[in-house]
Amino acid sequence: MSTPRPYAPPPALFAAAILASAFLLFEVQPLIARIILPWFGGSAAVWGACMVFFQVALVAGYAYAHLVASRLRPRLQGVVHLALLAASLAALPVLPADSWKPATAGDPTWRILALLAAVVGLPYFLLSTTGPLVQAWFARAHPGRSPYRLYALSNLGSMLALLSYPLAVEPFLATRAQAHAWSAGYGLVVALVGALAAGLLRLPDAAPRVAPLPGARRPGARDRLGWFTLAAVPSVLLLAITHHLTQNISPMPFLWVVPLALYLLSFILAFAGDRWYRRAVFLPLAAALAAGMAWTLADEHKNTSIWILIPLFCAGLFAAAMACHGELARARPQPRHLTGYYLVISLGGAAGGVFVALLAPSLFPDYYELPLGLAALVAIVAWVVRREARAALPRRRALAAAAAAGLAAAGIVLALAWQRVEVASESVMMARNFYGTVRVLDSGSGEAAQRALLHGTINHGKQFLAPGRVAWPTTYYGPDSGVALAIAATRGDAPHRVGLVGLGTGTLTAYSRPGDLYRAYEINPLVARVAREQFRFLANAAGAVEVVIGDARLAMEGEPDQRYDVLALDAFSSDAIPVHLLTREAFATYLRHLRPGGVLALHISNRYLDLAPQVRSLAAHFGKHAVKVEADGDDAAGTYENTWVLVVDSPETLARLGLADAGAPLDGGAAVRVWTDDYSNLLGLARFRSRG
């Protein structure tokens, strides 16, 4: 019987398989999250749930790679992997069915995880195995060469995917086209990896021939604990920082992928060679930026400019990830232990994601995971400094500077933690669920005493507590606001029907009269409970008030025509209107529920997004007329500066309602492409400067 001749595929084939696989692995993450985001209320937490799935799937892939590479003979590895690759093609294209849309309100985390497992589970799992498994095959086929540069190449492909999505994919391709293009690319990866797996069938079943690293030793439990910690802390910071940015700016893919790309860049640089990671640079930088991030989390700095917020947190994440991943790369074992090494790294990353997305919302009433992540980072800096100082390595001055910066950062983080405790103690109530943190806060005294509802950093309504002022409409809904003018103009002798997309404190129900019906759609059950228990607008409303718990879009699609006189769109996710409420399909639903001559009122006050161009394009698409109504705030009356857009059938309708002089026509300016359920481009509306 002849012995199979040795087979060694060229290094270029290994590199192509790893690069293409990593690109698709991270291209599908914003793609699938973008598709399902509207189904779950446009919440920033949707991305967190997706990240947990992807990280856990990555662990499963790395575990598979470790077991296959260490327990199976080469030819059996090839047979098993080829079979799974062939089976995964049945999952294409990666488009979730409408049956996955939630039918009821509540925390959708587990539904999101189940959806992802069913739609992209097997393809994503196999893509995640490619990096460690193909590197193990490379070490066997080319025993004199280190496989760790392929790990840097893998992260390069991942970063290119993330950067390409918001810049070159989302603005130009509808999501269905994106899914089909991705599926075609996956077929190419199956062919590349399949060629490598088929090559294993021609290898002898001898022990792998790998070259040990100089001075390498067998890793122990302490080593694995160190790998786990150095992987978990930057993962916590990645998700916590991404959530912080998307909650307070907008849940747009751009703010999903930039932090993740920087996180991956740190992997690329750390594993590309020893020249990129310098302790004297990144340890003090990480500590100093941790202090800066902690500073912006204080209540008095919660409205920090976007020009500071995004660069600071992105730079802080990168420095933190470089510090942790640089130390992780320095601790890498010899190649024969690489699949176990990658498995521990993936476990640490998944543990960080599970902590932020699944455990923290249940454990903490507020977003404590970001301060905790910063504190853990400072502890790592101090640990590394102490360890290297004991080893009497050179550059003691630089390490002393790092220690000083770490102590300073630790002090600021601890001060922030103490302040968060004080905030909790000063709040009337504080609670948290999938949709975010809700806090009720009292302030002022006497006639100026008031109670406010905060979601994230944004005030979602307040009420004066003095008996003579308790019925005053406040914040964005004063008598001179666009929505108040629309309500007054459409009143007649018949009962008034008003629809509210977003409940808040129920302030707009203060305008109701006996016989009127105000019907509010609220996706967050916690907000509805707080509005009834902590505020009096709903209880004091003269008209009838109905509250529908669930996504307004989905609820209205299943309802008969409501014939609203006014339909007010005021659904915030901290400071951003969810994208799926500003699409062509959404507008068609709103207009169906308006009676002839009714008014669609949209609240577009926003610090970072200029929503007017999209509203203008939508109104023009349906042949409607739109005016922008701006009102100044009045501290004495408890109102804020606000901007509403009123959409009506025609200028004649506006004149008949007496609203011709209420605001300026919403025309002129550059035309923008109308958003649909299959296409949107939030980045194109970003103004990148703070307003209010």
Side-chain angles (χ1 to χ4, degrees):
M1 181 177 179
S2 61
T3 301
R5 67 182 181 85
Y7 174 71
L13 184 59
F14 288 95
I18 281 184
L19 185 66
S21 178
F23 183 87
L24 292 181
L25 188 72
F26 281 83
E27 190 79 11
V28 77
Q29 295 185 19
L31 163 61
I32 199 72
R34 166 64 185 84
I35 291 174
I36 69 172
L37 182 68
W39 298 2
F40 301 98
S43 169
V46 171
W47 177 247
C50 290
M51 283 296 294
V52 168
F53 171 82
F54 296 133
Q55 289 177 316
V56 171
L58 194 68
V59 172
Y62 280 22
Y64 165 88
H66 176 62
L67 292 173
V68 165
S70 61
R71 301 293 179 88
L72 300 184
R73 299 186 304 274
R75 279 175 282 183
L76 188 54
Q77 291 179 34
V79 170
V80 170
H81 207 65
L82 280 170
L84 288 174
L85 288 170
S88 69
L89 295 174
L92 304 181
V94 288
L95 278 170
D98 287 347
S99 59
W100 283 105
K101 292 181 178 180
T104 58
D107 188 339
T109 300
W110 292 106
R111 188 177 188 88
I112 293 172
L113 297 178
L115 181 160
L116 295 172
V119 176
V120 299
L122 186 56
Y124 190 89
F125 166 78
L126 289 173
L127 287 174
S128 68
T129 69
T130 303
L133 193 58
V134 169
Q135 286 180 66
W137 294 348
F138 179 87
R140 179 183 291 273
H142 300 277
R145 306 177 66 170
S146 171
Y148 283 106
R149 288 189 180 274
L150 290 177
Y151 187 58
L153 184 64
S154 172
N155 284 289
L156 174 62
S158 303
M159 188 182 71
L160 290 175
L162 291 171
L163 293 179
S164 70
Y165 187 82
L167 301 177
V169 176
E170 188 193 26
F172 304 107
L173 289 178
T175 52
R176 182 170 292 273
Q178 294 173 29
H180 284 286
W182 186 92
S183 300
Y186 181 76
L188 174 62
V189 168
V190 167
L192 291 172
V193 178
L196 293 173
L200 293 178
L201 304 180
R202 300 166 59 185
L203 279 176
D205 284 335
R209 301 168 297 164
V210 295
L213 295 175
R217 60 178 178 81
R218 183 179 183 84
R222 180 176 295 182
D223 298 301
R224 293 184 176 88
L225 179 60
W227 302 341
F228 181 89
T229 304
L230 289 169
V233 170
S235 176
V236 168
L237 290 173
L238 168 65
L239 267 70
I241 286 173
T242 302
H243 192 279
H244 181 70
L245 293 177
T246 54
Q247 184 197 35
N248 292 293
I249 299 174
S250 178
M252 66 175 83
F254 175 76
L255 292 178
W256 292 343
V257 302
V258 169
L260 186 52
L262 292 171
Y263 174 84
L264 291 173
L265 178 60
S266 71
F267 269 118
I268 295 170
L269 297 179
F271 283 85
D274 295 334
R275 66 186 182 278
W276 292 107
Y277 173 59
R278 293 288 183 266
R279 284 183 175 135
V281 173
F282 286 105
L283 291 180
L285 184 61
L289 289 174
M293 289 186 284
W295 179 81
T296 67
L297 295 179
D299 263 14
E300 57 267 29
H301 305 132
K302 64 184 179 182
N303 289 324
T304 302
S305 166
I306 193 173
W307 285 108
I308 297 175
L309 198 66
I310 293 179
L312 173 63
F313 277 88
C314 287
L317 174 63
F318 177 69
M322 275 299 296
C324 294
H325 295 155
E327 295 299 322
L328 196 56
R330 287 187 174 220
R332 63 188 182 273
Q334 58 180 308
R336 69 190 182 95
H337 299 297
L338 70 83
T339 54
Y341 173 66
Y342 291 144
L343 176 58
V344 174
I345 291 175
S346 65
L347 281 169
V354 168
F355 171 73
V356 173
L358 299 183
L359 297 181
S362 301
L363 295 174
F364 308 133
D366 202 355
Y367 292 104
Y368 296 149
E369 52 268 34
L370 182 50
L372 287 173
L374 295 175
L377 172 64
V378 170
I380 286 176
V381 170
W383 170 66
V384 173
V385 168
R386 178 177 178 272
R387 185 189 63 191
E388 300 309 319
R390 290 180 63 184
L393 292 179
R395 299 183 182 178
R396 287 188 175 181
R397 287 187 178 180
L399 292 174
L407 290 173
I412 292 178
V413 170
L414 290 174
L416 174 64
W418 177 253
Q419 185 190 58
R420 303 312 297 172
V421 171
E422 285 191 321
V423 166
S425 64
E426 293 171 356
S427 300
V428 175
M429 66 86 63
M430 180 185 293
R432 180 179 180 183
N433 64 4
F434 176 83
Y435 300 100
T437 295
V438 172
R439 183 160 62 104
V440 177
L441 189 67
D442 286 350
S443 62
S445 59
E447 290 294 302
Q450 55 191 261
R451 174 166 292 181
L453 171 65
L454 285 82
H455 177 230
T457 63
I458 306 303
N459 189 315
H460 279 230
K462 67 180 181 182
Q463 186 171 35
F464 283 107
L465 300 179
R469 297 186 175 189
V470 72
W472 288 11
T474 56
T475 61
Y476 309 102
Y477 318 106
D480 57 350
S481 65
V483 66
L485 295 176
I487 290 173
T490 54
R491 279 176 175 161
D493 295 333
H496 209 217
R497 293 183 64 87
V498 176
L500 309 175
V501 178
L503 175 64
T505 58
T507 309
L508 282 173
T509 62
Y511 290 107
S512 67
R513 305 168 304 175
D516 292 346
L517 173 66
Y518 278 56
R519 184 176 173 85
Y521 303 88
E522 176 55 54
I523 194 171
N524 191 345
L526 180 58
V527 168
R529 177 168 66 85
V530 170
R532 291 195 181 278
E533 295 178 359
Q534 302 294 336
F535 296 86
R536 296 168 59 189
F537 286 118
L538 298 181
N540 293 345
V545 177
E546 296 177 355
V547 178
V548 179
I549 302 298
D551 181 80
R553 204 33 223 281
L554 297 177
M556 284 195 286
E557 285 174 356
E559 291 179 342
D561 296 354
Q562 294 296 312
R563 296 185 61 81
Y564 292 124
D565 296 283
V566 175
L567 178 57
L569 178 63
D570 185 33
F572 287 86
S573 179
S574 191
D575 197 32
I577 293 178
V579 170
H580 72 296
L581 297 180
L582 283 177
T583 65
R584 182 182 63 203
E585 294 83 355
F587 250 58
T589 299
Y590 304 149
L591 296 175
R592 175 173 69 84
H593 283 287
L594 281 176
R595 68 166 178 78
V599 178
L600 176 62
L602 301 100
H603 188 190
I604 65 168
S605 303
N606 197 283
R607 289 183 292 176
Y608 305 122
L609 298 174
D610 183 8
L611 300 172
Q614 184 56 218
V615 176
R616 179 174 62 241
S617 294
L618 286 165
H621 176 82
F622 287 96
K624 304 298 181 182
H625 182 66
V627 295
K628 182 166 69 173
V629 181
E630 297 180 304
D632 296 327
D634 183 348
D635 289 340
T639 59
Y640 303 148
E641 180 181 350
N642 59 84
T643 303
W644 288 78
V645 173
L646 306 183
V647 178
V648 295
D649 291 334
S650 64
E652 290 73 25
T653 300
L654 206 67
R656 179 176 56 78
L657 293 174
L659 295 173
D661 298 325
L666 193 64
D667 52 21
V672 298
R673 179 177 171 182
V674 172
W675 290 350
T676 67
D677 287 350
D678 207 29
Y679 167 83
S680 63
N681 182 17
L682 260 177
L683 186 60
L685 300 185
R687 54 167 57 101
F688 289 104
R689 61 184 177 87
S690 176
R691 285 186 57 185

